[in-house]
Amino acid sequence: MTERGTSPRTAPAWDLLTQHVADIGGTTLREFFAADGDRGTALAVEGSGLYLDYSKQRVTADTVDLLCQLADERGLRDYFAAMASGEHINVTENRAVLHVALRMPKGTALMVDGVDVVAQVHEVLDHMAAFADSVREGAWRGHTGKAIKNIVNIGIGGSDLGPVMAYEALKHYSRRDMTFRFVSNVDGTDFAEAVVDLDAEETLFVVSSKTFTTQETMTNAHSARSWALARLGSEDAVAKHFVAVSTNANAVASFGIDTANMFGFWDWVGGRYSMDSAIGLSTMLAVGPGNFHAMLAGFHEMDEHARTAPWRQNLPVLMGLLNVWNRNFLGTSSVAVLPYEQYLKRFPAYLQQLTMESNGKSVRLDGQLVDTETGAVFWGEPGTNGQHSFYQLIHQGTTVIPSDFLFFRTPLNPLPAADAPDHHDLLIANVIAQSAALAFGKTAEEVAAEGVAPEIVPAKVMPGNRPSNTVVAEVLDPRTLGRLVALYEHSVFTQGVIWGIDSFDQWGVELGKIMAKRVTPLLVDGTEVPGLDSSTIALAARYRG
Ligand code: F6P
């Protein structure tokens, strides 16, 4: 294996790619497609139930060969093995990274430090399923004897974004006679609005926090406790209306939650990789244990594909390598994620944490500052809505933004229009048209040939040559959601390995938390805090009035 965490510039393939981009970087997507009538199928792969068309990336088969060589030279295969064997590849936190164990089938084993972690995982899954069933069947009763109808997940970051994304994505499969809410922000409005119309007697709070120390979550959990006790009148109600998902049993107990109603996980599950752990309890309550297990099976399928498929057929590895190509060799700095599926409306927000908290790093594992760009900015919105807001910039702006389009062949809500085509035909026509418009654009000659006034022609020229992937799946079901999330997880991992960074720590979020704590006394009662800068002092004074 390569020495871990060195500069990717040490890989011979890096120099070859630098030369290669000088050779082909000026060739446009129009020219690539004109030169090869089969390009649309030649640069496409299928695996784990997903189809990836990357023909509209600014690459040739040689580019892909060189990127795969880079993956080999950076030891990607060994890194996958190291992850799966429980090595502490999260170096700066000295932790194993074993989210793949969360979705290994019952009966398989993964021994880490003499412990079968898969058996532990399934013990928790069984506990979750028994609890979810009892709530869904009405056997679990609140303090006053009423069945639970409302679930409020309290968490932030990975303890919120995964659960809320999965709930929205799988709403079609969820219990429609129950209400699911998600509270994350320390802004009191988030909690107040989430409970404004709920009956405390029928409400269960799921306090989700890996550490059980996160300021926002603990503040919201305490507010929820006061809200519930004010309405239910007794401390005893906590046991019936609060459960916890955490790795910190002591903190859970001191909050007053019976640890029998605590669903555990382990330090080898990163927050942004935890939606398939007990952090998914609210998802399981919404869609039921069967659907949750189907989602886990989809994750596992993609894990196996990522671990075993040759790079050229490997969807997540190819996506990761194409991001490296765009970021480091074509100089792009952001990626738009554009799902043409309304149920995936929170998917871009989920991916923001997954991608940016993982790969937004400037220091390598060897402790040196990086000498290449690392993680791009990820963002997006579902289509077709985005088309009527920010697509203008993607088409004609001065910045090239590679895009990931996603669509599903079968709609979950088929809606025939008065005349054919129906809603879904129109949706898919749009997604396919957008990637083509971005790739091929429209020349001045083509615009002029439409009779456009000469002075308007430049404004109507579409530059084209803007790269995109298109991912196609059959239908958005739990299994496919698992595959899709794992697709991005392994793509993120691939990029991190190429760049030599730790994709599993998040030290960059700490300083702001510490400073917020430090300045709080000044805001609350004017206590002088030594060493503050003049802007902070002035803003605090303005707040206090
Ligand atoms: O602040 C970042 C972070 O640590 C994330 O990585 C994590 O998902 C989130 O906070 C929430 O942490 P916890 O689950 O421990 O409350």
Side-chain angles (χ1 to χ4, degrees):
M1 177 179 314
T2 44
E3 226 173 286
R4 295 214 179 133
T6 55
S7 166
R9 291 181 187 279
T10 57
W14 194 272
D15 285 342
L16 296 173
L17 282 159
T18 306
Q19 180 55 49
H20 178 69
V21 76
D23 295 342
I24 69 145
T27 311
T28 64
L29 284 168
R30 271 194 184 223
E31 290 163 340
F32 282 138
F33 273 84
D36 176 4
D38 292 331
R39 182 179 167 95
T41 48
L43 299 187
V45 285
E46 204 159 359
S48 180
L50 303 181
Y51 176 83
L52 167 67
D53 172 358
Y54 63 96
S55 63
K56 297 190 191 94
Q57 293 286 348
R58 289 167 51 190
V59 295
T60 64
D62 288 344
T63 321
V64 176
D65 285 345
L66 288 172
L67 288 168
C68 291
Q69 182 184 328
L70 179 65
D72 284 332
E73 288 170 1
R74 298 298 286 162
L76 182 60
R77 190 72 70 192
D78 291 337
Y79 267 98
F80 270 117
M83 171 157 71
S85 69
E87 244 186 74
H88 288 203
I89 61 169
N90 178 356
V91 173
T92 71
E93 293 182 329
N94 191 21
R95 285 178 181 164
V97 176
L98 278 174
H99 44 272
V100 292
L102 296 170
R103 49 263 192 158
M104 286 175 67
K106 205 172 202 167
T108 55
L110 178 58
M111 303 303 291
V112 177
D113 301 329
V115 178
D116 178 7
V117 296
V118 181
Q120 289 184 324
V121 163
H122 282 275
E123 222 171 273
V124 175
L125 283 170
D126 290 347
H127 184 197
M128 289 164 65
F131 176 72
D133 281 339
S134 78
V135 172
R136 286 163 61 86
E137 286 159 8
W140 180 280
R141 298 273 157 173
H143 181 63
T144 59
K146 287 195 179 176
I148 297 297
K149 293 226 177 79
N150 316 309
I151 306 291
V152 181
N153 185 78
I154 298 178
I156 197 164
S159 302
D160 166 69
L161 289 162
V164 71
M165 181 279 287
Y167 169 69
E168 293 293 346
L170 300 179
K171 202 174 200 167
H172 190 76
Y173 306 87
S174 74
R175 279 282 291 264
R176 297 306 180 117
D177 57 346
M178 293 176 72
T179 299
F180 292 83
R181 302 264 165 86
F182 298 84
V183 176
S184 53
N185 201 334
V186 77
D187 181 339
T189 296
D190 205 11
F191 178 76
E193 286 292 340
V195 296
V196 70
D197 54 350
L198 300 187
D199 177 353
E201 293 178 74
E202 300 177 337
T203 300
L204 176 79
F205 292 96
V206 179
V207 185
S208 299
S209 174
K210 179 174 168 179
T211 54
F212 229 72
T213 57
T214 302
Q215 187 195 57
E216 293 91 331
T217 302
M218 296 328 295
T219 305
N220 280 319
H222 281 284
S223 297
R225 201 171 185 279
S226 309
W227 179 88
L229 294 189
R231 285 157 184 78
L232 300 170
S234 160
E235 285 279 335
D236 296 344
V238 172
K240 289 289 169 193
H241 292 269
F242 286 80
V243 297
V245 179
S246 188
T247 57
N248 186 348
N250 290 339
V252 168
S254 53
F255 182 86
I257 295 176
D258 184 349
T259 46
N261 300 324
M262 167 178 157
F263 302 85
F265 57 117
W266 307 270
D267 74 352
W268 43 260
V269 184
R272 53 196 176 272
Y273 297 87
S274 66
M275 61 169 275
D276 49 343
S277 71
I279 289 290
L281 183 62
S282 58
T283 313
M284 194 189 268
L285 283 160
V287 301
N291 281 319
F292 195 84
H293 277 280
M295 182 181 81
L296 296 181
F299 268 104
H300 181 64
E301 226 179 275
M302 184 57 78
D303 294 340
E304 288 305 284
H305 171 79
R307 197 176 60 81
T308 59
W311 299 148
R312 283 165 196 73
Q313 272 81 53
N314 195 312
L315 275 75
V317 169
L318 283 174
M319 279 180 72
L321 293 172
L322 290 167
N323 275 331
V324 168
W325 169 251
N326 286 328
R327 182 85 179 105
N328 298 114
F329 298 95
L330 297 181
T332 62
S333 56
S334 103
V335 177
V337 182
L338 308 168
Y340 277 63
E341 170 54 71
Q342 189 61 23
Y343 285 124
L344 286 184
K345 65 182 181 190
R346 297 288 289 165
F347 193 56
Y350 171 79
L351 288 184
Q352 287 190 322
Q353 186 195 15
L354 179 66
T355 58
M356 297 202 273
E357 203 171 73
S358 295
N359 285 341
K361 310 285 164 66
S362 301
V363 172
R364 291 193 307 260
L365 287 166
D366 64 5
Q368 302 297 308
L369 280 179
V370 296
D371 55 4
T372 62
E373 296 291 351
T374 61
V377 173
F378 275 69
W379 58 285
E381 276 289 323
T384 57
N385 293 2
Q387 292 175 202
H388 299 272
S389 63
F390 55 80
Y391 277 38
Q392 166 62 38
L393 186 148
I394 306 186
H395 282 288
Q396 284 188 316
T398 52
T399 302
V400 172
I401 299 178
S403 305
D404 285 353
F405 291 98
L406 312 178
F407 76 85
F408 299 87
R409 291 187 60 237
T410 306
L412 288 170
N413 295 295
L415 203 53
D419 303 306
D422 69 15
H423 284 251
H424 201 61
D425 291 338
L426 291 174
L427 180 73
I428 307 310
N430 272 280
V431 60
I432 295 175
Q434 286 297 327
S435 68
L438 284 167
F440 308 124
K442 204 174 195 182
T443 64
E445 293 70 35
E446 287 165 344
V447 176
E450 290 173 349
V452 172
E455 65 276 18
I456 308 295
V457 167
K460 290 198 157 189
V461 168
M462 304 285 283
N465 210 26
R466 304 203 164 201
S468 66
N469 290 319
T470 301
V471 175
V472 186
E474 184 57 45
V475 65
L476 178 55
D477 56 15
R479 193 179 193 101
T480 300
L481 181 68
R483 291 163 171 155
L484 267 179
V485 174
L487 173 74
Y488 277 93
E489 285 179 350
H490 295 305
S491 166
V492 164
F493 180 61
T494 299
Q495 293 165 69
V497 169
I498 301 293
W499 289 322
I501 57 179
D502 188 336
S503 296
F504 303 102
D505 63 11
Q506 58 283 316
W507 297 108
V509 301
E510 294 305 321
L511 180 60
K513 292 184 194 174
I514 293 165
M515 288 176 68
K517 269 200 189 126
R518 189 163 156 235
V519 79
T520 302
L522 174 60
L523 301 181
V524 173
D525 54 18
T527 305
E528 204 180 311
V529 179
L532 293 181
D533 64 90
S534 58
S535 168
T536 302
I537 292 168
L539 290 169
R542 184 150 290 265
Y543 172 69
R544 281 178 57 76

